[in-house]
Short mmCIF file of all heavy atoms in Angstrom, two decimals:
data_model
loop_
_atom_site.label_atom_id
_atom_site.label_comp_id
_atom_site.label_asym_id
_atom_site.label_seq_id
_atom_site.Cartn_x
_atom_site.Cartn_y
_atom_site.Cartn_z
N MET V 1 -16.64 -5.83 -4.32
CA MET V 1 -16.47 -4.42 -4.51
C MET V 1 -16.92 -3.62 -3.32
O MET V 1 -18.07 -3.84 -2.81
CB MET V 1 -17.33 -3.86 -5.73
CG MET V 1 -17.20 -4.99 -7.03
SD MET V 1 -15.45 -5.12 -7.41
CE MET V 1 -15.31 -6.83 -7.67
N GLY V 2 -16.07 -2.94 -2.83
CA GLY V 2 -16.37 -2.12 -1.65
C GLY V 2 -17.65 -1.28 -1.54
O GLY V 2 -18.41 -1.30 -0.63
N GLY V 3 -17.82 -0.48 -2.61
CA GLY V 3 -18.98 0.26 -2.68
C GLY V 3 -18.98 1.44 -1.67
O GLY V 3 -20.08 1.99 -1.47
N GLU V 4 -17.86 1.72 -1.03
CA GLU V 4 -17.87 2.79 -0.04
C GLU V 4 -17.84 4.06 -0.73
O GLU V 4 -17.31 4.31 -1.70
CB GLU V 4 -16.68 2.55 0.87
CG GLU V 4 -15.35 3.07 0.30
CD GLU V 4 -14.65 2.05 -0.61
OE1 GLU V 4 -15.34 1.42 -1.51
OE2 GLU V 4 -13.43 1.83 -0.50
N THR V 5 -18.60 5.02 -0.04
CA THR V 5 -18.59 6.38 -0.66
C THR V 5 -18.00 7.36 0.28
O THR V 5 -17.52 8.47 -0.16
CB THR V 5 -20.04 6.69 -1.01
OG1 THR V 5 -20.84 6.50 0.29
CG2 THR V 5 -20.65 5.96 -1.99
N LYS V 6 -17.92 7.06 1.68
CA LYS V 6 -17.42 8.02 2.53
C LYS V 6 -15.98 7.96 2.77
O LYS V 6 -15.33 9.05 2.96
CB LYS V 6 -18.21 8.05 3.91
CG LYS V 6 -17.99 6.71 4.59
CD LYS V 6 -18.97 6.64 5.79
CE LYS V 6 -18.74 5.32 6.56
NZ LYS V 6 -18.40 5.25 7.91
N THR V 7 -15.35 6.76 2.65
CA THR V 7 -13.93 6.68 2.84
C THR V 7 -13.24 6.78 1.37
O THR V 7 -13.11 5.79 0.72
CB THR V 7 -13.52 5.42 3.49
OG1 THR V 7 -14.09 4.32 2.77
CG2 THR V 7 -14.09 5.35 4.94
N SER V 8 -12.84 8.02 1.11
CA SER V 8 -12.26 8.20 -0.27
C SER V 8 -10.79 8.53 -0.19
O SER V 8 -10.07 8.70 -1.11
CB SER V 8 -12.99 9.25 -1.07
OG SER V 8 -12.90 10.50 -0.35
N GLY V 9 -10.31 8.57 1.12
CA GLY V 9 -8.88 9.01 1.19
C GLY V 9 -7.93 7.72 1.29
O GLY V 9 -8.46 6.67 1.29
N CYS V 10 -6.68 8.06 1.21
CA CYS V 10 -5.65 6.90 1.32
C CYS V 10 -5.88 6.17 2.50
O CYS V 10 -5.97 6.74 3.68
CB CYS V 10 -4.24 7.71 1.14
SG CYS V 10 -2.96 6.53 1.55
N GLU V 11 -5.86 4.86 2.53
CA GLU V 11 -5.91 3.99 3.71
C GLU V 11 -4.74 4.01 4.54
O GLU V 11 -4.74 3.45 5.71
CB GLU V 11 -6.46 2.63 3.34
CG GLU V 11 -5.38 1.69 2.62
CD GLU V 11 -5.92 0.49 2.32
OE1 GLU V 11 -7.19 0.24 2.20
OE2 GLU V 11 -5.17 -0.56 2.29
N ARG V 12 -3.59 4.44 4.06
CA ARG V 12 -2.42 4.50 4.85
C ARG V 12 -2.16 5.83 5.48
O ARG V 12 -1.83 5.84 6.68
CB ARG V 12 -1.23 4.16 3.78
CG ARG V 12 0.10 4.19 4.51
CD ARG V 12 1.17 3.43 3.64
NE ARG V 12 2.49 3.50 4.20
CZ ARG V 12 3.53 4.23 3.58
NH1 ARG V 12 3.30 4.95 2.63
NH2 ARG V 12 4.72 4.14 4.19
N CYS V 13 -2.22 6.91 4.74
CA CYS V 13 -1.94 8.22 5.38
C CYS V 13 -3.12 9.25 5.46
O CYS V 13 -3.00 10.30 6.00
CB CYS V 13 -0.78 8.90 4.59
SG CYS V 13 -1.25 9.49 2.96
N GLY V 14 -4.16 8.70 4.89
CA GLY V 14 -5.38 9.59 4.92
C GLY V 14 -5.49 10.67 4.06
O GLY V 14 -6.37 11.54 4.11
N ALA V 15 -4.51 10.78 3.06
CA ALA V 15 -4.59 11.85 2.02
C ALA V 15 -5.87 11.73 1.24
O ALA V 15 -6.40 10.76 1.15
CB ALA V 15 -3.38 11.85 1.30
N GLY V 16 -6.11 12.95 0.72
CA GLY V 16 -7.38 12.93 -0.07
C GLY V 16 -7.55 12.23 -1.31
O GLY V 16 -8.57 11.85 -1.75
N CYS V 17 -6.45 11.91 -1.99
CA CYS V 17 -6.61 11.34 -3.36
C CYS V 17 -5.84 9.96 -3.29
O CYS V 17 -4.83 9.68 -2.84
CB CYS V 17 -5.87 12.22 -4.46
SG CYS V 17 -4.29 12.57 -4.19
N ARG V 18 -6.58 8.99 -3.94
CA ARG V 18 -6.02 7.66 -3.99
C ARG V 18 -5.76 7.44 -5.46
O ARG V 18 -6.12 8.19 -6.38
CB ARG V 18 -7.05 6.64 -3.58
CG ARG V 18 -7.75 6.88 -2.21
CD ARG V 18 -8.52 5.76 -1.77
NE ARG V 18 -9.78 5.73 -2.65
CZ ARG V 18 -10.79 5.05 -2.40
NH1 ARG V 18 -10.88 4.42 -1.25
NH2 ARG V 18 -11.75 4.92 -3.26
N THR V 19 -4.90 6.43 -5.60
CA THR V 19 -4.70 5.93 -7.13
C THR V 19 -5.96 5.27 -7.60
O THR V 19 -6.87 4.86 -6.76
CB THR V 19 -3.49 4.96 -7.08
OG1 THR V 19 -3.85 3.90 -6.18
CG2 THR V 19 -2.26 5.57 -6.67
N GLU V 20 -6.18 5.20 -8.79
CA GLU V 20 -7.29 4.57 -9.34
C GLU V 20 -7.27 3.15 -9.40
O GLU V 20 -8.27 2.37 -9.50
CB GLU V 20 -7.52 5.09 -10.84
CG GLU V 20 -6.66 4.91 -11.79
CD GLU V 20 -5.50 5.89 -11.85
OE1 GLU V 20 -5.24 6.63 -10.82
OE2 GLU V 20 -4.64 6.00 -12.82
N LYS V 21 -6.10 2.47 -9.07
CA LYS V 21 -6.16 1.07 -9.02
C LYS V 21 -5.54 0.68 -7.65
O LYS V 21 -4.44 1.25 -7.19
CB LYS V 21 -5.09 0.57 -10.11
CG LYS V 21 -5.69 0.16 -11.42
CD LYS V 21 -4.73 -0.25 -12.40
CE LYS V 21 -3.76 -1.34 -11.82
NZ LYS V 21 -2.78 -1.73 -13.00
N PRO V 22 -6.28 -0.20 -6.89
CA PRO V 22 -5.89 -0.50 -5.60
C PRO V 22 -4.67 -1.56 -5.53
O PRO V 22 -4.96 -2.71 -5.24
CB PRO V 22 -7.20 -1.13 -4.93
CG PRO V 22 -7.89 -1.66 -6.19
CD PRO V 22 -7.54 -0.83 -7.34
N VAL V 23 -3.54 -1.24 -5.87
CA VAL V 23 -2.46 -2.09 -6.01
C VAL V 23 -2.01 -2.53 -4.57
O VAL V 23 -2.00 -3.76 -4.31
CB VAL V 23 -1.16 -1.41 -6.64
CG1 VAL V 23 -0.05 -2.53 -6.65
CG2 VAL V 23 -1.60 -1.06 -8.00
N TYR V 24 -1.73 -1.52 -3.67
CA TYR V 24 -1.56 -1.93 -2.29
C TYR V 24 -2.72 -1.44 -1.37
O TYR V 24 -2.61 -0.53 -0.62
CB TYR V 24 -0.24 -1.23 -1.73
CG TYR V 24 1.08 -1.73 -2.49
CD1 TYR V 24 1.57 -0.97 -3.50
CD2 TYR V 24 1.58 -2.85 -2.04
CE1 TYR V 24 2.78 -1.46 -4.13
CE2 TYR V 24 2.74 -3.35 -2.75
CZ TYR V 24 3.25 -2.55 -3.71
OH TYR V 24 4.32 -2.99 -4.41
N GLY V 25 -3.91 -1.94 -1.67
CA GLY V 25 -5.05 -1.39 -1.10
C GLY V 25 -5.31 0.07 -1.68
O GLY V 25 -4.58 0.37 -2.71
N TRP V 26 -6.22 0.69 -1.12
CA TRP V 26 -6.50 2.11 -1.57
C TRP V 26 -5.69 3.06 -0.98
O TRP V 26 -5.81 3.57 0.03
CB TRP V 26 -7.89 2.42 -1.28
CG TRP V 26 -8.90 1.69 -2.15
CD1 TRP V 26 -9.77 0.69 -1.87
CD2 TRP V 26 -9.17 2.07 -3.64
NE1 TRP V 26 -10.58 0.35 -2.91
CE2 TRP V 26 -10.08 1.08 -3.99
CE3 TRP V 26 -8.61 2.79 -4.51
CZ2 TRP V 26 -10.56 1.04 -5.39
CZ3 TRP V 26 -8.87 2.77 -5.79
CH2 TRP V 26 -9.94 1.89 -6.24
N VAL V 27 -4.42 3.34 -1.64
CA VAL V 27 -3.58 4.25 -1.12
C VAL V 27 -3.26 5.36 -2.14
O VAL V 27 -3.64 5.10 -3.31
CB VAL V 27 -2.14 3.71 -0.80
CG1 VAL V 27 -2.33 2.66 0.41
CG2 VAL V 27 -1.54 2.99 -1.86
N CYS V 28 -2.76 6.42 -1.66
CA CYS V 28 -2.50 7.56 -2.50
C CYS V 28 -1.28 7.22 -3.42
O CYS V 28 -0.44 6.29 -3.18
CB CYS V 28 -2.36 8.85 -1.85
SG CYS V 28 -0.86 8.89 -0.82
N ALA V 29 -1.02 8.01 -4.44
CA ALA V 29 0.18 7.73 -5.41
C ALA V 29 1.49 7.86 -4.69
O ALA V 29 2.33 6.93 -4.89
CB ALA V 29 0.07 8.69 -6.51
N ARG V 30 1.60 8.67 -3.66
CA ARG V 30 2.75 8.90 -2.89
C ARG V 30 2.98 7.52 -2.12
O ARG V 30 4.17 6.99 -2.00
CB ARG V 30 2.64 10.07 -1.98
CG ARG V 30 3.93 10.17 -1.22
CD ARG V 30 3.80 11.29 -0.29
NE ARG V 30 4.87 11.31 0.83
CZ ARG V 30 5.45 12.34 1.36
NH1 ARG V 30 5.03 13.50 0.97
NH2 ARG V 30 6.38 12.03 2.24
N CYS V 31 1.96 7.13 -1.36
CA CYS V 31 2.24 5.90 -0.66
C CYS V 31 2.45 4.64 -1.50
O CYS V 31 3.15 3.80 -1.19
CB CYS V 31 0.88 5.58 0.19
SG CYS V 31 0.80 6.61 1.72
N ALA V 32 1.65 4.61 -2.68
CA ALA V 32 1.91 3.53 -3.50
C ALA V 32 3.45 3.49 -3.93
O ALA V 32 3.98 2.36 -4.00
CB ALA V 32 1.12 3.71 -4.83
N ARG V 33 4.00 4.59 -4.18
CA ARG V 33 5.39 4.59 -4.65
C ARG V 33 6.35 4.22 -3.42
O ARG V 33 7.27 3.44 -3.66
CB ARG V 33 5.78 5.96 -5.09
CG ARG V 33 7.06 6.08 -5.82
CD ARG V 33 7.15 7.39 -6.67
NE ARG V 33 7.05 8.60 -5.80
CZ ARG V 33 6.19 9.49 -5.85
NH1 ARG V 33 5.37 9.57 -6.88
NH2 ARG V 33 6.17 10.52 -4.95
N GLU V 34 6.04 4.69 -2.34
CA GLU V 34 6.78 4.31 -1.16
C GLU V 34 6.69 2.76 -0.90
O GLU V 34 7.71 2.13 -0.66
CB GLU V 34 6.45 5.03 0.06
CG GLU V 34 6.77 6.48 0.13
CD GLU V 34 6.32 7.26 1.43
OE1 GLU V 34 5.85 6.54 2.43
OE2 GLU V 34 6.53 8.41 1.59
N LEU V 35 5.58 2.30 -0.94
CA LEU V 35 5.28 0.88 -0.73
C LEU V 35 5.94 0.08 -1.73
O LEU V 35 6.54 -0.94 -1.51
CB LEU V 35 3.79 0.54 -0.56
CG LEU V 35 3.05 1.11 0.60
CD1 LEU V 35 1.61 1.07 0.48
CD2 LEU V 35 3.63 0.60 1.93
N ASP V 36 5.90 0.57 -3.04
CA ASP V 36 6.52 -0.17 -4.12
C ASP V 36 7.99 -0.33 -3.77
O ASP V 36 8.68 -1.31 -3.82
CB ASP V 36 6.35 0.72 -5.43
CG ASP V 36 5.79 -0.07 -6.49
OD1 ASP V 36 5.30 -1.29 -6.19
OD2 ASP V 36 5.60 0.46 -7.55
N VAL V 37 8.74 0.78 -3.41
CA VAL V 37 10.22 0.77 -3.05
C VAL V 37 10.46 -0.36 -1.92
O VAL V 37 11.32 -1.03 -2.05
CB VAL V 37 10.60 2.08 -2.81
CG1 VAL V 37 12.10 2.12 -2.15
CG2 VAL V 37 10.62 2.97 -4.01
N TYR V 38 9.62 -0.18 -0.87
CA TYR V 38 9.87 -0.92 0.21
C TYR V 38 9.57 -2.38 -0.02
O TYR V 38 10.47 -3.27 0.29
CB TYR V 38 8.88 -0.47 1.45
CG TYR V 38 8.98 -1.24 2.74
CD1 TYR V 38 10.07 -1.08 3.58
CD2 TYR V 38 8.12 -2.26 2.98
CE1 TYR V 38 10.18 -1.94 4.71
CE2 TYR V 38 8.13 -2.96 4.13
CZ TYR V 38 9.19 -2.83 5.02
OH TYR V 38 9.23 -3.53 6.17
N TYR V 39 8.47 -2.69 -0.67
CA TYR V 39 8.16 -4.09 -0.81
C TYR V 39 9.04 -4.74 -1.95
O TYR V 39 9.33 -5.98 -1.95
CB TYR V 39 6.67 -4.36 -1.02
CG TYR V 39 6.08 -4.12 0.21
CD1 TYR V 39 5.29 -3.02 0.57
CD2 TYR V 39 6.10 -5.20 1.36
CE1 TYR V 39 4.77 -2.91 1.91
CE2 TYR V 39 5.51 -5.08 2.47
CZ TYR V 39 4.88 -3.88 2.77
OH TYR V 39 4.33 -3.75 3.97
N LEU V 40 9.47 -3.95 -2.89
CA LEU V 40 10.40 -4.61 -3.97
C LEU V 40 11.62 -4.83 -3.41
O LEU V 40 12.24 -5.76 -3.77
CB LEU V 40 10.39 -3.60 -5.16
CG LEU V 40 9.14 -3.63 -6.01
CD1 LEU V 40 9.24 -2.58 -7.06
CD2 LEU V 40 8.74 -4.94 -6.65
N MET V 41 12.13 -4.07 -2.36
CA MET V 41 13.33 -4.28 -1.75
C MET V 41 13.23 -5.60 -0.93
O MET V 41 14.15 -6.38 -0.79
CB MET V 41 13.69 -3.09 -0.82
CG MET V 41 14.99 -3.24 -0.10
SD MET V 41 15.25 -1.89 1.18
CE MET V 41 14.03 -2.43 2.37
N LEU V 42 12.09 -5.74 -0.22
CA LEU V 42 11.79 -6.92 0.66
C LEU V 42 11.87 -8.08 -0.27
O LEU V 42 12.40 -9.15 0.08
CB LEU V 42 10.45 -6.79 1.31
CG LEU V 42 10.45 -6.19 2.67
CD1 LEU V 42 9.16 -6.43 3.32
CD2 LEU V 42 11.53 -6.85 3.63
N VAL V 43 11.16 -8.09 -1.40
CA VAL V 43 11.19 -9.25 -2.28
C VAL V 43 12.61 -9.54 -2.89
O VAL V 43 12.94 -10.72 -3.00
CB VAL V 43 10.26 -8.89 -3.53
CG1 VAL V 43 10.45 -9.82 -4.73
CG2 VAL V 43 8.74 -8.87 -3.06
N GLY V 44 13.46 -8.52 -2.95
CA GLY V 44 14.77 -8.79 -3.37
C GLY V 44 15.54 -9.50 -2.37
O GLY V 44 16.44 -10.24 -2.59
N MET V 45 15.22 -9.35 -1.15
CA MET V 45 15.85 -10.01 0.01
C MET V 45 15.30 -11.28 0.44
O MET V 45 15.87 -12.33 0.63
CB MET V 45 15.83 -9.09 1.29
CG MET V 45 16.63 -7.75 1.14
SD MET V 45 16.84 -6.87 2.79
CE MET V 45 15.22 -6.74 3.28
N LYS V 46 13.82 -11.41 0.44
CA LYS V 46 13.23 -12.56 0.91
C LYS V 46 12.69 -13.34 -0.26
O LYS V 46 12.19 -14.47 0.02
CB LYS V 46 12.25 -12.23 1.90
CG LYS V 46 12.71 -11.23 3.05
CD LYS V 46 11.77 -11.13 4.12
CE LYS V 46 10.31 -11.20 4.04
NZ LYS V 46 9.58 -10.82 5.21
N GLY V 47 12.36 -12.65 -1.34
CA GLY V 47 11.62 -13.40 -2.45
C GLY V 47 10.12 -13.30 -2.08
O GLY V 47 9.66 -12.68 -1.07
N GLY V 48 9.27 -13.79 -3.13
CA GLY V 48 7.79 -13.80 -2.88
C GLY V 48 7.33 -12.64 -3.76
O GLY V 48 7.90 -12.09 -4.69
N ASP V 49 6.01 -12.25 -3.34
CA ASP V 49 5.29 -11.42 -4.12
C ASP V 49 5.02 -9.99 -3.35
O ASP V 49 4.59 -10.16 -2.13
CB ASP V 49 3.99 -11.93 -4.57
CG ASP V 49 2.97 -11.00 -5.29
OD1 ASP V 49 3.38 -10.58 -6.40
OD2 ASP V 49 1.99 -10.65 -4.67
N PRO V 50 5.38 -8.81 -3.86
CA PRO V 50 5.12 -7.66 -3.13
C PRO V 50 3.78 -7.45 -2.56
O PRO V 50 3.54 -6.96 -1.46
CB PRO V 50 5.65 -6.58 -4.01
CG PRO V 50 5.58 -7.07 -5.44
CD PRO V 50 5.81 -8.54 -5.25
N ILE V 51 2.75 -7.83 -3.33
CA ILE V 51 1.38 -7.53 -2.88
C ILE V 51 1.04 -8.49 -1.64
O ILE V 51 0.37 -8.08 -0.80
CB ILE V 51 0.45 -7.77 -4.06
CG1 ILE V 51 0.90 -6.96 -5.26
CG2 ILE V 51 -1.06 -7.54 -3.50
CD1 ILE V 51 0.82 -5.38 -5.02
N GLN V 52 1.49 -9.65 -1.82
CA GLN V 52 1.21 -10.70 -0.75
C GLN V 52 1.90 -10.25 0.55
O GLN V 52 1.46 -10.31 1.62
CB GLN V 52 1.67 -12.05 -1.18
CG GLN V 52 0.91 -12.60 -2.25
CD GLN V 52 -0.60 -12.71 -1.90
OE1 GLN V 52 -0.94 -13.12 -0.87
NE2 GLN V 52 -1.35 -12.28 -2.88
N LEU V 53 3.19 -9.75 0.42
CA LEU V 53 3.89 -9.22 1.52
C LEU V 53 3.14 -8.02 2.23
O LEU V 53 3.21 -7.91 3.37
CB LEU V 53 5.39 -8.74 1.16
CG LEU V 53 6.27 -10.00 0.85
CD1 LEU V 53 7.59 -9.32 0.29
CD2 LEU V 53 6.61 -10.85 2.09
N TYR V 54 2.65 -7.25 1.39
CA TYR V 54 1.92 -5.99 1.85
C TYR V 54 0.62 -6.47 2.55
O TYR V 54 0.38 -6.01 3.62
CB TYR V 54 1.62 -5.01 0.66
CG TYR V 54 0.52 -4.00 1.18
CD1 TYR V 54 0.95 -3.01 2.11
CD2 TYR V 54 -0.74 -4.04 0.76
CE1 TYR V 54 0.19 -2.05 2.38
CE2 TYR V 54 -1.68 -3.10 1.32
CZ TYR V 54 -1.26 -2.07 2.12
OH TYR V 54 -2.14 -1.25 2.52
N LEU V 55 0.00 -7.46 1.96
CA LEU V 55 -1.22 -7.83 2.61
C LEU V 55 -0.99 -8.50 4.03
O LEU V 55 -1.79 -8.32 4.91
CB LEU V 55 -2.09 -8.82 1.67
CG LEU V 55 -2.63 -8.14 0.44
CD1 LEU V 55 -3.23 -9.21 -0.41
CD2 LEU V 55 -3.55 -7.06 0.74
N ALA V 56 0.09 -9.28 3.94
CA ALA V 56 0.56 -9.92 5.33
C ALA V 56 0.86 -8.89 6.37
O ALA V 56 0.40 -8.97 7.48
CB ALA V 56 1.57 -10.93 5.07
N ASP V 57 1.55 -7.85 5.94
CA ASP V 57 1.93 -6.71 6.87
C ASP V 57 0.73 -6.08 7.29
O ASP V 57 0.59 -5.65 8.46
CB ASP V 57 3.00 -5.75 6.20
CG ASP V 57 4.40 -6.26 6.36
OD1 ASP V 57 4.62 -7.41 6.90
OD2 ASP V 57 5.24 -5.47 5.99
N ARG V 58 -0.13 -5.76 6.38
CA ARG V 58 -1.33 -5.00 6.72
C ARG V 58 -2.26 -5.85 7.63
O ARG V 58 -2.83 -5.23 8.66
CB ARG V 58 -2.23 -4.70 5.40
CG ARG V 58 -3.37 -3.73 5.74
CD ARG V 58 -3.99 -3.28 4.49
NE ARG V 58 -4.77 -4.30 3.95
CZ ARG V 58 -5.68 -4.17 2.87
NH1 ARG V 58 -5.92 -2.88 2.43
NH2 ARG V 58 -6.20 -5.14 2.44
N ALA V 59 -2.47 -7.15 7.43
CA ALA V 59 -3.10 -7.95 8.34
C ALA V 59 -2.46 -7.88 9.75
O ALA V 59 -3.23 -8.10 10.83
CB ALA V 59 -3.25 -9.40 7.89
N ALA V 60 -1.17 -7.82 9.83
CA ALA V 60 -0.38 -7.78 11.12
C ALA V 60 -0.28 -6.43 11.61
O ALA V 60 0.43 -6.20 12.78
CB ALA V 60 0.89 -8.53 10.95
N GLY V 61 -0.75 -5.46 10.97
CA GLY V 61 -0.61 -4.04 11.41
C GLY V 61 1.02 -3.53 11.33
O GLY V 61 1.37 -2.74 12.06
N ALA V 62 1.66 -4.22 10.48
CA ALA V 62 3.10 -3.97 10.33
C ALA V 62 3.49 -3.12 9.08
O ALA V 62 4.70 -3.14 8.66
CB ALA V 62 3.71 -5.25 10.46
N VAL V 63 2.59 -2.54 8.43
CA VAL V 63 3.00 -1.85 7.32
C VAL V 63 3.76 -0.61 7.71
O VAL V 63 3.47 0.11 8.75
CB VAL V 63 1.69 -1.22 6.62
CG1 VAL V 63 2.07 -0.29 5.49
CG2 VAL V 63 0.92 -2.43 5.96
N PRO V 64 4.92 -0.37 7.12
CA PRO V 64 5.73 0.78 7.54
C PRO V 64 4.98 2.09 7.44
O PRO V 64 4.30 2.34 6.54
CB PRO V 64 6.92 0.75 6.60
CG PRO V 64 6.55 0.07 5.36
CD PRO V 64 5.56 -0.88 5.85
N PRO V 65 4.97 2.92 8.49
CA PRO V 65 4.44 4.24 8.36
C PRO V 65 4.91 5.21 7.28
O PRO V 65 5.94 4.95 6.80
CB PRO V 65 4.54 4.93 9.78
CG PRO V 65 5.92 4.35 10.26
CD PRO V 65 5.97 2.93 9.69
N ARG V 66 4.08 6.08 6.99
CA ARG V 66 4.56 7.04 5.93
C ARG V 66 5.71 7.92 6.43
O ARG V 66 5.83 8.26 7.60
CB ARG V 66 3.35 8.04 5.62
CG ARG V 66 3.68 9.05 4.62
CD ARG V 66 2.47 9.96 4.38
NE ARG V 66 2.81 10.93 3.40
CZ ARG V 66 2.05 11.99 3.21
NH1 ARG V 66 0.85 12.00 3.92
NH2 ARG V 66 2.30 12.96 2.41
N THR V 67 6.69 7.96 5.48
CA THR V 67 7.84 8.79 5.84
C THR V 67 7.74 10.09 5.45
O THR V 67 6.97 10.49 4.53
CB THR V 67 9.11 8.13 5.19
OG1 THR V 67 8.87 8.08 3.71
CG2 THR V 67 9.35 6.88 5.70
ZN1 ZN Q 1 -1.10 7.90 1.32
#
């Protein structure tokens, strides 16, 4: 459990509010929706699990930027 108190913003775009569940890490609802669309599309093409694809991209610094 992170226990962080100072970083409360979205870890993708820095917006102030995050979703209450860290599905794609701690991102805001808007980023979660964008990432959902993007990774579900990737899963449709490549197969696999959207969360695992996201985590691999995040580790590689390859998460698509906010549009
Ligand atoms: Zn965001």
Side-chain angles (χ1 to χ4, degrees):
M1 312 304 134
E4 78 276 46
T5 49
K6 61 187 173 122
T7 56
S8 58
C10 168
E11 68 179 30
R12 179 165 175 250
C13 73
C17 59
R18 306 185 301 195
T19 54
E20 61 273 20
K21 267 176 50 176
V23 180
Y24 295 101
W26 285 110
V27 298
C28 66
R30 176 179 165 152
C31 284
R33 195 165 57 238
E34 287 184 7
L35 293 170
D36 239 0
V37 169
Y38 177 77
Y39 285 104
L40 288 177
M41 184 189 71
L42 270 190
V43 166
M45 297 190 304
K46 309 194 330 187
D49 175 66
I51 307 300
Q52 293 305 315
L53 288 174
Y54 170 74
L55 292 176
D57 271 5
R58 190 172 67 166
V63 175
R66 183 180 172 190
T67 53

